[in-house]
Amino acid sequence: MKSSTTATGASATSRARRSHALGRLLFLGPGLLYLVAFVVVPLGLIVSYTVFRRGRFGGIVYEFTWENFARLDDSLYRDVVLGSLKLAAIATLIALLVGYPTAYLIAQLPKKWKTIALVVIVMPFWTNFLVRIYAWVVLLSGPGLVNSALLDLGLIDKPLELLYNQGTVVTGLVYSYLPLMILPLYAAIEKLDPQLREASANLGAGPVRTFFSVTLPLTLPGVLTGSLFVFVPSFGNFIIPELLGGGRSTMVGNVIRDQFLKARDWPFGATLTLALLVVLIVLLLAQAWSSRRA
């Protein structure tokens, strides 16, 4: 009798576990299906393409080779990657220098004005990305609004060449991704206990020392997160260098696009994509490690 009761209890427990597992599978299923279809499968194709050859007229020839990885050491592509790193780093630094005081000021505003300021910050995201970049082309072109205003004021004799240089590309990157710097910084500054800064001031520290000894170290996770949010899309961007750089500022995103769409060298395009992905994963791991130590 006792053994029969034990068997019945074990069976009920087993059914409960199966029901629980089925419920979890139904709950997680759509998300897992999405990840498999749009992340795992494309990533698997990219990785597999890296070890095959390019066909004579494009496409893939399924002959194993490491040649695509050897081409990464070509000075042409190495310079493009280093140039992309430089432009992305400059854009990130400028975004940080602009974004930190902006986020700090927003955090000091009354609650009503904080909401309004944050809405203004994210408002550009409500407009199409291409439209915003084309707006910069209209503003900075020869007969654009900036040159027209400078000519009307008599400050210049002829239109300035404001477009198609690296400075314009950096300006476009900063403009496009500045909100991604401000929002994490604002969240980090908002969580900062004001009493810590008051204690620092009471102990004789000036505003500068309080900032570098208290405010900046405690908001470092926001700095790292915001920097990563700006650097990653800037590094792989190809629209802004194309429209604002006029093809003179080639970044790694432009090279990858050209390999797939113009040269039809899918294996090497996949190899460049994989290299870019590895760089970004390393940066993500470094940011996670730094955030845990901060």
Side-chain angles (χ1 to χ4, degrees):
M1 182 67 180
K2 184 177 179 180
S3 61
S4 175
T5 304
T6 303
T8 303
S11 176
T13 302
S14 177
R15 285 197 300 273
R17 287 177 178 173
R18 285 199 298 270
S19 176
H20 182 65
L22 181 62
R24 292 178 64 182
L25 183 62
L26 290 174
F27 182 74
L28 297 175
L32 290 174
L33 186 62
Y34 179 89
L35 285 176
V36 170
F38 296 105
V39 178
V40 176
V41 172
L43 187 59
L45 287 174
I46 287 173
V47 173
S48 64
Y49 285 176
T50 60
V51 294
F52 295 124
R53 298 182 186 277
R54 173 184 181 273
R56 184 176 180 184
F57 302 104
I60 305 290
V61 175
Y62 294 98
E63 295 178 1
F64 184 84
T65 179
W66 293 111
E67 182 181 329
N68 298 311
F69 290 95
R71 289 177 63 188
L72 291 176
D73 194 40
D74 189 302
S75 60
L76 172 65
Y77 303 112
R78 194 167 58 239
D79 290 345
V80 170
V81 171
L82 292 177
S84 302
L85 287 171
K86 184 185 76 173
L87 290 180
I90 293 173
T92 303
L93 179 61
I94 294 175
L96 177 61
L97 294 177
V98 175
Y100 200 103
T102 305
Y104 192 90
L105 289 174
I106 293 175
Q108 310 309 313
L109 293 173
K111 186 175 180 180
K112 172 187 173 183
W113 291 106
K114 283 181 186 177
T115 305
I116 295 173
L118 291 174
V119 170
V120 171
I121 292 297
V122 300
M123 193 175 291
F125 284 114
W126 299 348
T127 308
N128 184 277
F129 182 78
L130 279 176
V131 172
R132 284 186 281 136
I133 299 304
Y134 272 117
W136 276 100
V137 175
V138 174
L139 285 172
L140 300 178
S141 63
L145 294 178
V146 174
N147 273 318
S148 298
L150 294 175
L151 287 169
D152 292 341
L153 292 172
L155 298 177
I156 56 176
D157 297 326
K158 60 180 181 179
L160 301 175
E161 294 184 1
L162 301 175
L163 276 175
Y164 310 137
N165 55 63
Q166 290 192 346
T168 311
V169 174
V170 171
T171 301
L173 292 173
V174 173
Y175 163 75
S176 299
Y177 303 121
L178 183 59
L180 300 180
M181 175 67 80
I182 293 176
L183 294 179
L185 284 172
Y186 167 76
I189 295 170
E190 181 71 6
K191 289 192 298 185
L192 186 62
D193 189 349
Q195 292 184 347
L196 295 174
R197 281 174 289 183
E198 293 175 6
S200 176
N202 291 336
L203 292 172
V208 176
R209 185 168 183 182
T210 297
F211 174 77
F212 284 105
S213 301
V214 178
T215 307
L216 184 59
L218 292 177
T219 57
L220 196 56
V223 173
L224 295 172
T225 302
S227 299
L228 193 67
F229 282 0
V230 174
F231 184 86
V232 169
S234 298
F235 183 49
N237 197 287
F238 65 93
I239 295 176
I240 293 175
E242 185 75 22
L243 297 181
L244 298 183
R248 298 179 184 176
S249 301
T250 302
M251 297 182 72
V252 66
N254 301 91
V255 177
I256 292 174
R257 179 207 57 188
D258 291 344
Q259 292 300 319
F260 278 104
L261 301 182
K262 295 182 179 178
R264 293 182 59 78
D265 192 346
W266 293 7
F268 187 58
T271 307
L272 282 171
T273 305
L274 184 62
L276 178 63
L277 192 61
V278 170
V279 171
L280 298 182
I281 289 174
V282 169
L283 290 174
L284 285 171
L285 293 176
Q287 187 270 340
W289 179 77
S290 301
S291 295
R292 282 199 301 270
R293 291 176 61 87

